[in-house]
């Protein structure tokens, strides 16, 4: 599977709430950030958690968010950032971003 | 999670195992448990270990060797890498680019999980948390401290990191970008702190002693 | 909205408690839990992925998650996973735990 996003792309985390095991923190769902690194391809934790060891590899990225975009009451510096590892199926192009 | 680790074979004339299975010849597993009644979960742990050994899934020797191996991993490993990076800029570049390869240069095994080294600079300070469980760079720092696994750290380090840092005695000016890394998936993180002022004459071993576990998680900075 | 958040997924949940500064040294039984998990996950055995382990902890539910200590959650997840994988049965586990309990009760103080 080739990676859909590259460093510098603006992405948004899907607003989804599957009830089972997943590794996308609740607090970043629906939030927009920027891809800072494509970490490689990994098995999907949502499959690994249920005994499916040989599922397809999926690209995983490190996505950087502005802290003030995650926390409305954030009282640190306006420069502060948060970086999260997110699997590709949780990401969509950010609105207005140019993605062919 | 030490998949790459080769376990050494241990041979004993008399195997006074932790999990002697004959109840008539039962040896208490550890002296510290002799005086207090085992809890439900401690009994569960012993039962699982004995069943796994009886069924040949693991051996008592493998279990002991694994505990010895984990006991041997301390924050001194991470500190060794940091001190080397402070004294050798080319090594620092390689460490930040690929920590596993850089570790191998000095015969340090970093294990199968990639560890990303996040460099503090005059304008960026890094902090590590795992909000979903307690992921931690065990191959460089050993087992995580209780505070790292605490509900309070997992809840607050992500949303009010400057207040959390202040509780550890660390204050950052607003000019510095605080970058919190939520260790959610297949990477682990180590903070490469800045070398403190006034350490010019120090050799690598002396520098390594300044690098505490907390500095490599990002809640503290090295003091000279 | 908040009922969509699973209990373990706690980043940013309001919390008044300070970070606990005093810790404890790992107890021998806790180290054994850690070692068992590592062995079951290694390439020789491949019986337990980290995500199966995490799923087992998350599925204990909010109440147990708060009540159990860290390594209590771990051994509970390891045990449930081994039962699911048919490495041992509920009956074997129950008998073994009863046997260990009896051993300790018969032990001279």
């Amino acid at each position: 599977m080739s990676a859909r996003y590259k460093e510098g792309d603006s992405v948004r985390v899907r607003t989804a709430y599957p009830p089972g095991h997943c590794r996308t923190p609740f607090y970043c769902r629906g939030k927009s950030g920027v891809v800072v690194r494509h970490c490689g391809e990994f098995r999907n934790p949502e499959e690994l958690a249920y005994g499916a060891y040989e599922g397809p590899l999926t690209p995983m990225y490190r996505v950087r968010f502005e802290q003030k975009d995650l926390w409305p009451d954030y009282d640190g510096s306006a420069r502060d950032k948060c970086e999260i590892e997110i699997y590709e199926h949780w990401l969509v192009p950010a609105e207005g971003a140019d993605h062919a | 999670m030490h998949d790459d680790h080769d376990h050494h074979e241990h041979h004993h004339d008399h195997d006074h195992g932790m999990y002697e299975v004959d109840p008539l010849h039962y040896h208490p597993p550890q002296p510290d448990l002799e005086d207090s009644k085992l809890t439900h979960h401690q009994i569960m742990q012993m039962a699982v270990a004995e069943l796994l050994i009886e069924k040949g899934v693991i051996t008592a020797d493998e279990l002991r060797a694994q505990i010895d191996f984990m006991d041997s991993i301390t924050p001194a490993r991470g500190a060794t890498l940091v001190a080397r990076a402070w004294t050798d800029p080319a090594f620092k570049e390689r460490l930040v680019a690929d920590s596993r390869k850089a570790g191998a240069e000095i015969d340090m095994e970093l294990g199968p999980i990639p560890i990303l080294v996040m460099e503090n600079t005059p304008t960026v300070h890094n902090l590590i948390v795992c909000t979903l469980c307690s992921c931690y760079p065990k191959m460089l720092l050993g087992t995580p401290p209780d505070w790292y696994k605490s509900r309070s750290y997992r809840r607050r380090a992500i949303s009010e990191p400057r207040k959390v840092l202040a509780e550890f005695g660390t204050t950052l000016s607003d000019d510095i970008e605080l970058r919190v890394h939520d260790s959610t998936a297949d990477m682990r993180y180590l903070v490469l702190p800045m070398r403190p002022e006034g350490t010019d004459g120090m050799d690598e071993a002396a520098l390594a002693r300044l690098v505490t576990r907390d500095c490599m998680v990002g809640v503290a900075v090295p003091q000279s | 909205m908040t009922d969509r958040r699973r209990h373990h997924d706690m980043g940013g949940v309001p919390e008044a408690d300070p970070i606990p500064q005093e810790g404890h040294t790992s107890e021998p039984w806790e180290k054994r839990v850690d070692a068992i998990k590592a062995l079951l996950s290694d390439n020789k055995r491949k019986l337990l992925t980290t995500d199966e382990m995490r799923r087992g902890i998350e599925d204990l539910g909010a109440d147990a998650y708060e009540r159990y200590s860290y390594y209590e959650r771990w051994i509970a997840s390891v045990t449930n996973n081994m039962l699911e994988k048919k490495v041992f049965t509920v009956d074997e586990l129950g008998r073994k735990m009863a046997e260990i309990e009896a051993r300790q009760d018969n032990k001279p103080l």
Side-chain angles (χ1 to χ4, degrees):
Chain A
M1 183 171 184
S2 62
R4 184 174 180 194
Y5 304 105
K6 61 182 188 310
E7 204 177 305
D9 283 354
S10 294
V11 290
R12 183 166 54 78
V13 182
R14 286 172 48 226
T15 307
Y17 305 97
H21 174 81
C22 75
R23 298 299 289 179
T24 308
F26 179 85
Y27 66 82
C28 72
R29 300 190 196 164
K31 309 291 185 180
S32 296
V34 174
V35 171
V36 289
R37 188 196 293 236
H38 170 218
C39 296
E41 326 247 297
F42 297 86
R43 307 264 178 222
N44 183 348
E46 296 155 32
E47 297 177 18
L48 287 174
Y50 298 93
Y53 293 1
E54 305 298 332
L57 291 167
T58 180
M60 191 269 283
Y61 307 88
R62 305 192 69 249
V63 180
R64 180 177 295 168
F65 300 87
E66 299 289 333
Q67 284 282 40
K68 59 180 168 47
D69 290 342
L70 296 177
W71 316 106
D73 302 328
Y74 190 73
D75 65 355
S77 165
R79 299 171 191 266
D80 291 355
K81 308 286 192 292
C82 167
E83 296 187 4
I84 314 173
E85 292 162 47
I86 304 180
Y87 297 88
E88 187 169 278
H89 62 283
W90 273 94
L91 298 175
V92 293
E95 273 128 61
D98 179 21
H99 247 287
Chain B
M1 284 188 260
H2 309 299
D3 308 18
D4 293 344
H5 178 64
D6 272 334
H7 297 286
H8 299 286
E9 291 292 324
H10 293 270
H11 298 285
H12 304 282
D13 292 331
H14 300 285
D15 192 357
H16 291 286
M18 287 186 291
Y19 300 103
E20 175 65 67
V21 290
D22 180 350
L24 294 175
H25 297 98
Y26 178 70
H27 300 293
Q30 293 287 342
D32 62 321
L33 295 180
E34 274 182 294
D35 300 330
S36 57
K37 211 162 163 61
L38 297 172
T39 66
H40 173 73
H41 287 92
Q42 287 169 341
I43 291 171
M44 186 185 285
Q45 176 273 306
M46 291 170 69
V48 168
E50 289 185 19
L51 286 169
L52 292 174
I53 290 167
E54 284 170 23
K55 289 173 180 292
V57 177
I58 65 173
T59 68
D61 277 347
E62 284 177 320
L63 193 54
R64 276 190 293 272
Q66 181 64 35
I67 290 169
D68 288 347
F69 171 71
M70 295 190 308
D71 279 344
S72 75
I73 307 287
T74 72
R77 283 165 62 91
T80 299
L81 292 177
V82 170
R84 170 65 61 97
W86 282 350
T87 53
D88 181 346
F91 180 81
K92 187 190 79 181
E93 296 305 316
R94 297 196 295 276
L95 180 67
V96 170
D98 186 336
S99 65
R100 185 186 286 141
K101 274 192 200 157
E105 290 179 31
I106 56 168
D107 293 324
M108 192 184 289
E109 167 64 60
L110 265 61
I113 305 176
I115 299 177
L116 302 183
V117 174
M118 295 298 169
E119 184 185 2
N120 286 350
T121 69
T123 55
V124 176
H125 181 92
N126 295 281
L127 177 68
I128 313 303
V129 62
C130 172
T131 63
L132 298 176
C133 48
S134 55
C135 297
Y136 190 71
K138 285 188 177 181
M139 285 296 284
L140 290 179
L141 299 183
T143 45
D146 286 349
W147 61 257
Y148 186 84
K149 302 185 285 190
S150 71
R151 182 181 63 200
S152 184
Y153 187 74
R154 287 170 54 192
R155 286 183 172 185
R156 298 177 54 214
I158 200 79
S159 55
E160 45 181 38
R162 286 175 184 258
K163 286 180 185 153
V164 167
L165 287 183
E167 288 177 28
F168 284 88
T170 305
T171 47
L172 299 177
S173 91
D174 278 355
D175 298 345
I176 296 175
E177 173 188 331
L178 174 55
R179 211 176 272 172
V180 185
H181 303 272
D182 195 351
S183 191
T184 46
D186 288 294
M187 307 283 126
R188 301 292 179 269
Y189 299 89
L190 186 87
V191 174
L192 171 54
M194 281 193 293
R195 180 171 175 164
E197 303 284 336
T199 57
D200 286 355
M202 293 172 77
D203 66 12
E204 243 179 90
L207 288 169
R209 285 193 290 276
L210 303 178
V211 186
T212 64
R213 173 196 69 200
D214 291 2
C215 296
M216 293 180 280
V217 179
V219 292
V221 292
Q223 308 295 322
S224 59
Chain C
M1 188 76 176
T2 46
D3 56 355
R4 289 167 167 177
R5 182 182 65 80
R6 302 186 75 212
H7 181 75
H8 72 279
D9 187 352
M10 58 178 70
V13 172
E15 167 69 56
D17 285 353
I19 312 300
Q21 296 288 344
E22 67 290 341
H24 86 297
T25 311
S26 289
E27 293 173 23
W29 82 273
E30 295 176 318
K31 291 185 181 185
R32 289 195 291 270
V33 173
D34 221 325
I36 290 166
K37 193 272 161 191
L39 290 173
L40 292 174
S41 299
D42 71 12
N43 276 339
K44 180 173 171 185
R45 277 153 279 255
K46 291 187 175 168
L47 277 169
L48 181 63
T49 62
T50 295
D51 285 292
E52 287 171 314
M53 179 72 181
R54 291 165 171 161
R55 189 252 307 165
I57 292 169
E58 294 157 12
D59 288 353
L60 293 171
D63 179 54
Y65 199 98
E66 287 299 310
R67 224 164 7 93
Y68 291 0
S69 72
Y70 185 78
Y71 282 106
E72 286 175 346
R73 298 198 290 264
W74 270 46
I75 192 60
S77 177
V78 167
T79 303
N80 286 340
N81 271 286
M82 291 305 100
L83 289 168
E84 285 171 12
K85 303 234 162 144
K86 305 176 181 64
V87 173
F88 46 71
T89 66
V90 168
D91 185 62
E92 287 171 320
L93 179 66
R95 286 174 193 272
K96 180 63 81 180
M97 287 180 69
E99 181 193 315
I100 291 166
E101 213 161 359
R103 265 186 228 162
Q104 108 166 314
D105 291 343
N106 294 336
K107 215 169 53 183
L109 286 172

